Amino acid sequence: MLIMTTAAIIQRTKPHQYLIILLTILSITNMRLALAFNSHHLPCSIGKSSRISKFCHLSQNSRAITSLQSQSKSYDVIVIGGGHAGTEAATASARSGARTLLLTQKVSTLGELSCNPSIGGIGKGHLVREIDALQGVMGEIADASGIHFRMLNRRKGPAVRGPRGQMDRDLYKENMQDYLLRGADLGIAGIENLDVLEASAEDLLLDEGDEIETLAPLADIAKIEAAGSGEEERLRKAKSLSSAEANASSRRARIKGVVAIESETDSRIEIESKTVILTTGTFLRGVLMIGHERYSGGRHLRDSEEVEPPSVGLALTLERFGFPLGRLKTGTPPRLDGRTIDWDRCNIQPSERPAQPFSHIRQSRGEQPPLAAANTLINCYQTATNEATHKLVMEYAHLLPQYDGMDGKGNGPRYCPSIYKKVERFAERNSHNSFLEPEGLNSHIVYPNGMSGPYPEEIQRQIMRSMKGLEKVEIIRPGYDVEYDFVNPQALTHTLETKSIAGLYLAGQICGTTGYEEAGAQGIIAGANAGRAAYAARIGENAPLPFVLGRDEAYIGVLIDDLVTKGTLEPYRMFTSRAEYRISLRADNADLRLTRKGAEYGLVTDPERLAALDMRETLITDNVERLRDFKLFITDWASRGGDDLSFAAADRPGSEGRKKSAEEVLGMPHVTLKDVEDIMAIVHSEEQTQKTYSDEAYAFNPTPSSVYDTVEASVKYKSYVIRQEKDIESWRKAQGVKIPPTIIYHHSIMPTFSKEEIEKLDRFRPNTFAEASQISGLTPQSLVYLYHHVMRLNKEARKSSQPVTVGENN
């Protein structure tokens, strides 16, 4: 497939590019032959699903250990928690060369999808692609386990399209455990330097003292001369890192290890390490709730009464060191018995075919996710609440739990609210959609997306049965809420190291986020920095540069910058609207933005990934140049393209002599790359028929699917990127501008603002735009709009020379 794709584009490749393509072919082909050879000489196991074979065990580098009695009790990095943040942190740390230990209460729950069975979405899908571009594991595991794929917002521009896949929960967990515990190859290099221990972390081992030196330092960017490589200067200009000296001034201790209780022996052990990464999820003093019933726990084991215990000792230690702790909550809906659902009364939601994978390597090979290739994808279905549902929701609201946070109301995710919050906030609506998502190929359990609400079980049953198609539904496991401690992330640096305790890193829900993807994104940054610092300290190298992504480089950069500069008072979720550079930060170009940098910092070690990136870059450049070089008269474009490519200028006198390139035509609204290339193919065919037998003939090949979206977006968004930069620059200059205290924040005045933004502006009433920019949840676009709004009103006030109450009568 790869060689055929390359042969198809070799004809139009410039001579100096031949060598790049040839080396790429040899690199990828040799690697795939090696993998094929190994797969014939190593045994494979078959998973529970007979429809798909599990992956062959190509590496035995990582290991699961049940006791440290005969193992080393010293590591470079210890990762506490085996959720999505923990797995990305542990594997990133291991790739950096650090000897890494992953501590988890239950090895059997590694890779568990605790709540919804999906990966990706709008904003979230961008994060998964970026994790994959840095050789993280989430994208590959999602591809290997996906049973339903869709590209959300497909009818909108490429910048806001979000890949989403629904997982087979059993397969996702099995594939993740295969990779972590047995080194099964999923297109990623095997894990070296990683041990996994089943144990509960009880506390941290610390050396205490004011301004104590860390055991694993990172380079102090503030002291690096501007004449450096350029990377240092970019970080200085972006002010994305506070100086090490400033951090040291607030330091009260440093990490020297972890106290844990081994599951097998129930013995207390002390494990030394230079750094520790906390990824405790919802376990930090977690409390589970159904109705008025409250009981300690981090989560229920899937579809079980059994509860995983909370982490109390770690919470007390953080409290002792003055970390700003708060309480957040999240919830999961009841699990339904699909055999009791009337599917014919629900709206079908088929998977897209062909399915678009998360993995950049899989895309470069032209491969489908395995279950898509095997034609075993499933359908999802959609139903909705109604007035009867809403009546029940409000009638039994008094039976909902009493929370610790927000005066008993609970501080849950704004953009993934409970059904009660939806009905309460949007009283004018008489319906809310719920997507019914089967949890696996061999499971009859169904996840009703959007229907969390920890009412007593009988009330949950009544609410579900009030919906179309669910009139006779049975509940397998009632939904519940969990409330837990989190640390205000302003206590962290951009490397996700805490300011109070040197060598302690946090990632995931402990930082105030919600979602698998946000957790994984933080995990890979924390793991990279902790691992690089600890490895360098062990072998005696100079402190390495921090691995930090800017807001202009990645959604991961936006996520972390929002958290550590603005903090959060509610579970943070990623949206494309949070990124001022979202036109450039698309899901289709994550590898182009991040993979090479990941290789420079030691995170990307897979040669096939780097070879695939080289090929994609060559293909993109080649196809954009071809569009730029192909020109037709305006009248020809108009006559060949019909209404979509009609030009008003074509009717003007003298326009017959003007030409437009294919690149210029593609930049027009409603024109697609396919529209343009269809015409290019026709013209090419006409030219070929006119050639003599002595002329060299070659076929016209359309842009390959592996780079189609990127080529189209890079051309169509070219002018928008320029305008975006100007808007952002004008906004940066406006930081000190004052906002009149009399301004009225109301949706009728600011219709483009969300309810959240109006609510927070009215509550905090910032005095300057610098203060407004620190409000969590306020998007860069809204800040620019507010700036222009205030400037316009001030201008009108000056014209009239009369006092004006800003915001009135506008």
Side-chain angles (χ1 to χ4, degrees), residues 47-76:
K48 290 182 180 179
S49 171
S50 61
R51 304 183 192 179
I52 177 171
S53 59
K54 301 288 290 300
F55 297 88
C56 299
H57 300 168
L58 301 181
S59 168
Q60 297 296 330
N61 297 314
S62 57
R63 54 184 176 171
I65 52 180
T66 57
S67 173
L68 285 182
Q69 297 303 318
S70 61
Q71 305 294 338
S72 168
K73 291 189 179 181
S74 177
Y75 288 87
D76 297 324

Side-chain angles (χ1 to χ4, degrees), residues 239-310:
K239 297 181 180 178
S240 61
L241 289 170
S242 54
S243 71
E245 285 184 359
N247 294 333
S249 65
S250 60
R251 190 178 299 152
R252 299 176 54 196
R254 71 183 177 195
I255 286 290
K256 66 174 185 178
V258 168
V259 179
I261 305 296
E262 284 187 334
S263 299
E264 184 179 73
T265 63
D266 203 30
S267 58
R268 182 183 186 275
I269 56 173
E270 293 186 358
I271 314 169
E272 295 181 355
S273 67
K274 296 179 177 61
T275 60
V276 169
I277 305 173
L278 283 184
T279 68
T280 50
T282 61
F283 284 73
L284 215 58
R285 282 195 287 214
V287 176
L288 304 175
M289 308 175 195
I290 299 178
H292 290 167
E293 183 184 4
R294 293 167 59 96
Y295 45 102
S296 295
R299 68 181 174 191
H300 275 279
L301 290 177
R302 194 203 310 180
D303 308 319
S304 169
E305 294 289 340
E306 188 177 348
V307 170
E308 294 186 79

Side-chain angles (χ1 to χ4, degrees), residues 109 215 310 345 372 383 496 524-525 536 539 548 582 588 614 713 736 775 779 792 800 803:
T109 62
L215 294 175
R345 288 175 53 78
T383 184
L496 297 183
I524 205 166
I525 297 298
I539 66 174
V548 175
R582 68 180 180 274
D588 66 84
D614 288 339
I775 298 175
T779 67
R792 184 175 67 252
S800 63

